[in-house]
């Protein structure tokens, strides 16, 4: 699954020279978003977070706030884990670009969780996820399987 497959359709964006903090506040009210990709023409200029600008005047243009931008984006043809890694640094969104650095869409926390659900094939019903943290030298799949199966359960997927 690639980053282009994980973008959230219709995620709101700001435009570097047109959008204002007032626009951010309106989009926050409408869509409940707190971070926005800012575009300079068709290229991502950065990510602007509402928490960084709420104290400023609503007329303030995005271009005046470039020092507050988080510079980050992922290429559309990379595996979607790349977006997850970058999202750890940026907060809750990551812009996705094509080979010419043109904006293609945004990966949000919501779209990332949906992608992980599909990728990990998490079934509905009586299931769960167990996270084990063990040293590499102590890892034994057969021992883990024995413990799980001794509790009348089964392993349907293993990700290491």
């Amino acid at each position: 699954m690639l980053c282009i497959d994980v973008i959230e359709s219709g995620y709101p964006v700001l435009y570097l020279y047109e959008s204002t903090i007032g626009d951010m506040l309106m989009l926050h009210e409408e869509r409940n978003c707190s971070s926005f990709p800012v575009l300079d023409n068709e290229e991502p200029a950065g990510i602007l977070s509402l928490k960084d600008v709420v104290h400023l005047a609503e007329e303030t243009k995005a271009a005046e706030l470039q020092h507050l931008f988080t510079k980050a984006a992922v290429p559309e043809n990379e595996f979607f884990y790349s977006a997850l890694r970058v999202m750890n640094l940026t907060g809750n969104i990551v812009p996705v670009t094509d080979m010419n650095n043109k904006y293609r869409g945004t990966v949000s926390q919501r779209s990332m969780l949906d992608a992980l659900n599909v990728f990990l094939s998490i079934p509905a019903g009586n299931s769960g996820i167990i996270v084990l943290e063990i040293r590499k030298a102590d890892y034994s799949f057969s021992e883990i399987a024995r413990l799980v199966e001794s509790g009348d359960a089964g392993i349907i997927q293993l990700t290491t």
Side-chain angles (χ1 to χ4, degrees):
M1 192 176 302
L2 303 177
C3 289
I4 191 67
D5 301 322
V6 183
I7 60 174
E8 181 177 326
S9 61
Y11 194 91
V13 298
L14 301 174
Y15 297 95
L16 189 61
Y17 298 104
E18 293 89 27
S19 299
T20 65
I21 292 176
D23 296 329
M24 277 183 81
L25 293 170
M26 185 178 65
L27 288 169
H28 173 68
E29 290 286 321
E30 290 175 3
R31 298 285 307 272
N32 196 28
C33 300
S34 59
S35 295
F36 302 89
V38 181
L39 304 182
D40 183 4
N41 293 318
E42 295 178 40
E43 296 183 8
I47 299 168
L48 190 57
S49 178
L50 192 59
K51 68 178 173 39
D52 295 332
V53 299
V54 291
H55 62 284
L56 299 172
E58 287 190 25
E59 307 81 42
T60 307
K61 296 266 188 197
E64 299 172 50
L65 305 170
Q66 292 185 59
H67 62 284
L68 298 174
F69 290 3
T70 301
K71 305 281 187 186
V74 292
E76 65 184 355
N77 60 349
E78 283 195 19
F79 191 63
F80 80 105
Y81 279 2
S82 296
L84 186 59
R85 249 189 322 275
V86 173
M87 199 177 285
N88 277 332
L89 305 172
T90 62
N92 57 7
I93 64 165
V94 179
V96 177
T97 59
D98 65 13
M99 298 299 238
N100 299 316
N101 201 37
K102 302 292 184 206
Y103 176 76
R104 292 296 308 264
T106 300
V107 174
S108 66
Q109 285 180 338
R110 180 180 311 126
S111 65
M112 182 58 71
L113 286 174
D114 290 344
L116 284 169
N117 187 31
V118 170
F119 184 74
L120 296 174
S121 302
I122 299 171
N126 295 331
S127 62
I129 296 175
I130 299 171
V131 178
L132 300 174
E133 292 186 32
I134 56 178
R135 294 180 333 159
K136 200 174 200 176
D138 296 336
Y139 174 79
S140 167
F141 177 70
S142 59
E143 180 64 16
I144 293 169
R146 186 189 67 72
L147 289 169
V148 169
E149 291 168 358
S150 71
D152 292 329
I155 298 173
I156 57 171
Q157 179 170 348
L158 174 70
T159 304
T160 59

